[in-house]
Amino acid sequence: MQSPPLGPPPAPQAPAARTGYPGFHHGVSLLHGWVPQVVAFVAVLLLVIAFARATRRWWVLWMPVCAVAGVAAAWAAWDFTDDQGLASDPAPVLLWACVGLTAAGLVAAVVGLRTGGWWQRIAAVLAVPVALLYTGVVLNQWVGYYPTVQAAWDALNADPLPHQVDADELPELRNTDVGTGRIVEVDIPEAGSDFRHRQEYVYLPPAWFAGDKPPALPTVMMIGGEFNTPADWVRSGQIMPAVDAFAAKNGGVTPVLVFVDSGGSFNNDTECVNGPRGNAADHLTKDVPGYLESEFGVAKDPAQWAVVGWSMGGTCAVDLAVMHPELFGTFVDIAGDLGPTSGTKEQTIKRLYGGNADAWAQFDPMTVMQRHGPYTGMVGVFDDLTAPKRGSGQQQGSGQQQGNGRQQNEQQRGGGQQHPGQQPAGQQKMNFPGAPKVTEDQIGKGGRDGVQDTNEEGAAEQLCDEGRKVGIDCTVHTTVGGHTWQFAASAFTSTFPWLTARLGIPVPGLSS
């Protein structure tokens, strides 16, 4: 039985959820600044030395071979990315150039072992790993996966997350003033999914430790992108400084956050469905909620459960919510797709569902909403992205020219264009958070949300329009910019205070 809808909080002002809160600026940047520039300079220098041989045979025979190898490698990488539907925002040309130059450098290092001076041969060998490193830097700049050197080092070494403690330390912290919340690594047992997953993480706010037993706090399920680890919201998104700051202002009371594993491995794109790649949907809906309720005493009421996702995770968020209104009453879809996607529709049916078209329909959110009919108390927020259009007069940034800033264009669907808080006649009023503010240039340059697979745009608008027909109260914020973890973090931190109030926790200025 569905719970009655929560009383909506008043319309909040859009928080200044800048990507520049301390987490993004702590440490040496991998997205901007001197590190990418130095790596680029060294790579170019070594490649120039590797290619600049003095013999005529080298220029007539081997340089064309290197060039052909480079072009072939760049084309193969582009074709694979396009065929697999791995990117919606077009990758920068520099990325394909780096792939090609790395391959050309490898050929030069092999065929040039018997030509040139010893120093030139050494430079040719060194050019390959350095060029490969710069390719990785450019790729990281595109998606914003590791914002700093420290974040990359921590992830590669699997260092503990901020404020992480072992589960056996939790009883010692009971009924104490912990100051900030704690993150605990958990191994959620299988309870009907048969899904092999990695270790997952739970954030417990300071309020969870107060008293002799945990309060029944609301819960937010956090899902990352296609290529992911459960810790990505913390390491790549670096959301914890903002979460800690909000908790401190709100008396230590926030929802519990559970950072789930939707893939089982870094490159296993399940799209949170059940299929040949694993029963990810069953894990997220059968294993996780019951474990959180039994181990951490969180609220069981679906009105106090929300699911938030970024990129593929955004698709998961809306899909899980509309498929399981008995579990989730709120969703936040950050730059997700129209539905679970792994290439074209035909490729998706084959890859995700083993060729079963009926299974595709069971997990297609548009179809699910049409079949379900009216929902009660379901609320959703879509933070969507659109690429800047050349020659349109739009520019990235907020009123000023910035290389990777953002320009917000906020709209709410249903009954024409409206502002948050305005509803068509006859519909219950629901007030929503403002669009995320992304105004700094310490961000990545683009990434993946799957739209390119079918050349679709406006997935969020279509989903929200369909949702309104069946009683889902939703809003769409559209932001001009690239598909990066920094946008995901900004969207989440902009929404978090509203989401907290929506789940029933008093928030000054938001709660009625």
Side-chain angles (χ1 to χ4, degrees):
M1 183 176 68
Q2 295 183 358
S3 64
L6 292 173
Q13 297 295 319
R18 297 156 61 88
T19 57
Y21 62 75
F24 279 121
H25 289 227
H26 180 69
V28 179
S29 175
L30 280 177
L31 303 178
H32 302 270
W34 66 268
V35 170
Q37 295 173 3
V38 169
V39 176
F41 175 79
V42 174
V44 170
L45 178 63
L46 291 173
L47 286 170
V48 168
I49 296 174
F51 292 139
R53 308 297 174 100
T55 65
R56 183 174 182 274
R57 177 180 174 83
W58 173 262
W59 290 100
V60 172
L61 177 61
W62 295 121
M63 272 301 291
V65 170
C66 293
V68 170
V71 171
W75 179 87
W78 174 86
D79 183 66
F80 177 79
T81 301
D82 181 68
D83 178 69
Q84 296 296 310
L86 300 182
S88 59
D89 293 349
V93 175
L94 180 59
L95 178 61
W96 309 127
C98 288
V99 171
L101 287 171
T102 301
L106 177 61
V107 173
V110 173
V111 302
L113 287 176
R114 297 184 179 181
T115 62
W118 62 268
W119 53 273
Q120 199 167 31
R121 294 194 294 271
I122 292 176
V125 172
L126 292 176
V128 178
V130 176
L132 186 61
L133 175 62
Y134 185 57
T135 302
V137 169
V138 173
L139 176 62
N140 184 66
Q141 287 181 310
W142 180 33
V143 300
Y145 196 76
Y146 296 124
T148 65
V149 173
Q150 186 65 48
W153 180 259
D154 290 346
L156 294 174
N157 288 278
D159 287 346
L161 300 176
H163 310 310
Q164 182 175 337
V165 298
D166 293 333
D168 56 12
E169 297 178 56
L170 294 179
E172 301 174 5
L173 298 173
R174 168 63 45 208
N175 209 12
T176 65
D177 182 5
V178 294
T180 58
R182 297 291 189 269
I183 293 176
V184 60
E185 187 179 58
V186 295
D187 185 6
I188 298 178
E190 182 270 331
S193 70
D194 195 29
F195 182 71
R196 299 182 62 181
H197 61 86
R198 295 162 289 182
Q199 298 292 94
E200 294 161 302
Y201 298 90
V202 176
Y203 164 77
L204 303 169
W208 187 86
F209 297 92
D212 296 329
K213 59 180 298 185
L217 293 171
T219 303
V220 178
M221 181 181 291
M222 306 289 292
I223 308 175
E226 175 182 358
F227 301 104
N228 72 82
T229 72
D232 282 354
W233 274 104
V234 180
R235 294 196 195 280
S236 299
Q238 297 194 355
I239 63 171
M240 295 317 299
V243 172
D244 288 340
F246 174 73
K249 293 179 181 178
N250 207 48
V253 188
T254 75
V256 170
L257 307 180
V258 54
F259 303 97
V260 296
D261 182 11
S262 61
S265 62
F266 181 77
N267 61 344
N268 184 36
D269 177 20
T270 68
E271 299 283 318
C272 301
V273 305
N274 294 331
R277 296 178 179 179
N279 293 335
D282 282 352
H283 172 62
L284 300 177
T285 58
K286 295 180 179 180
D287 300 347
V288 175
Y291 179 82
L292 267 290
E293 292 163 7
S294 64
E295 292 297 315
F296 300 102
V298 302
K300 297 182 179 181
D301 188 345
Q304 293 185 282
W305 272 77
V307 54
V308 174
W310 149 244
S311 190
M312 179 208 74
T315 309
C316 296
V318 63
D319 208 17
L320 291 173
V322 299
M323 290 183 68
H324 297 280
E326 77 283 1
L327 296 177
F328 306 102
T330 306
F331 65 86
V332 179
D333 174 357
I334 304 172
D337 295 337
L338 189 62
T341 301
S342 183
T344 63
K345 179 178 178 179
E346 292 72 20
Q347 291 171 329
T348 296
I349 292 174
K350 179 179 179 181
R351 293 167 181 169
L352 295 183
Y353 308 105
N356 186 342
D358 290 337
W360 176 89
Q362 291 172 10
F363 285 93
D364 174 58
M366 297 285 283
T367 304
V368 170
M369 287 187 285
Q370 292 164 4
R371 291 178 176 178
H372 182 278
Y375 289 79
T376 301
M378 178 73 70
V379 174
V381 172
F382 296 88
D383 278 311
D384 201 14
L385 281 165
T386 183
K389 293 178 172 57
R390 295 179 180 177
S392 67
Q394 289 181 322
Q395 65 181 29
Q396 295 183 8
S398 297
Q400 58 182 327
Q401 186 68 35
Q402 292 186 346
N404 294 294
R406 298 290 185 268
Q407 184 180 53
Q408 280 72 46
N409 179 20
E410 185 176 303
Q411 60 180 342
Q412 180 164 311
R413 304 297 297 177
Q417 300 234 348
Q418 304 172 53
H419 294 289
Q422 296 178 337
Q423 301 293 325
Q427 292 193 16
Q428 179 189 11
K429 182 178 179 181
M430 180 64 218
N431 297 302
F432 295 90
K437 305 288 187 182
V438 191
T439 58
E440 299 199 6
D441 60 359
Q442 283 81 4
I443 54 178
K445 301 178 180 178
R448 183 253 186 225
D449 66 1
V451 176
Q452 184 172 310
D453 297 334
T454 54
N455 292 319
E456 297 172 18
E457 289 190 2
E461 288 83 354
Q462 293 182 59
L463 288 166
C464 190
D465 284 344
E466 188 62 39
R468 284 188 171 277
K469 294 177 184 177
V470 290
I472 297 176
D473 211 353
C474 60
T475 190
V476 177
H477 300 138
T478 301
T479 299
V480 178
H483 193 95
T484 67
W485 260 111
Q486 287 68 54
F487 171 77
S490 179
F492 172 73
T493 54
S494 292
T495 305
F496 190 51
W498 169 86
L499 184 60
T500 299
R502 161 70 187 162
L503 296 180
I505 294 175
V507 178
L510 297 183
S511 301
S512 56

